[in-house]
Amino acid sequence: MSNYSKVSVGKDARTELHDQLSLTGAEVSINNLPAGVGVPFVHSHKKNEEIYVVLSGKGKAVIDGETVELSTGDWVRISPAAKRQFSAADDSGISFACIQVKENSLEGYTMEDGVVE
């Protein structure tokens, strides 16, 4: 068995990568909304924080009633309990990645977790 997984992602409305990459510690999705389109529901989580990165385009997130404008290169971290909903701008589509991880689960990072061989 290989120590890595690789997948190419197209322009589907939503691609969840947990099965395709055999993820064991995070959920990652790629999302593409055409201009003027929004996710049709508000949601929150029980345990997982979400980290969003805008890959292209622009739009907005409404987080606990506050509107946050988004554009290419923006990163947003949202607590599990926060209610959120994403939309593309009227004149631009938006493409974003969402990374879900259990809140407060990070025990080490970068060189604290790395091993120089």
Side-chain angles (χ1 to χ4, degrees):
M1 180 174 164
S2 179
N3 284 331
Y4 70 92
S5 301
K6 178 185 173 188
V7 65
S8 293
V9 177
K11 288 288 187 179
D12 294 335
R14 181 173 170 86
T15 303
E16 294 180 349
L17 298 174
H18 59 273
D19 289 337
Q20 294 179 31
L21 291 175
S22 301
L23 300 175
T24 64
E27 161 67 303
V28 179
S29 65
I30 306 299
N31 304 269
N32 297 291
L33 297 173
V37 173
V39 175
F41 56 86
V42 175
H43 79 283
S44 62
H45 287 273
K46 296 174 186 172
K47 297 179 181 180
N48 292 345
E49 65 185 6
E50 291 184 321
I51 303 100
Y52 291 87
V53 58
V54 179
L55 303 170
S56 64
K58 60 184 180 176
K60 68 179 179 182
V62 177
I63 306 166
D64 286 340
E66 181 180 341
T67 299
V68 179
E69 298 296 328
L70 300 170
S71 61
T72 303
D74 286 348
W75 288 79
V76 179
R77 182 246 179 218
I78 304 176
S79 296
K83 293 174 176 51
R84 78 247 13 214
Q85 185 175 29
F86 287 77
S87 302
D90 289 337
D91 62 347
S92 171
I94 189 169
S95 177
F96 58 92
C98 176
I99 304 161
Q100 279 188 48
V101 295
K102 184 177 178 185
E103 187 176 45
N104 298 315
S105 65
L106 186 62
E107 294 179 0
Y109 52 93
T110 313
M111 290 310 295
E112 291 177 14
D113 185 58
V115 178
V116 178
E117 304 280 332

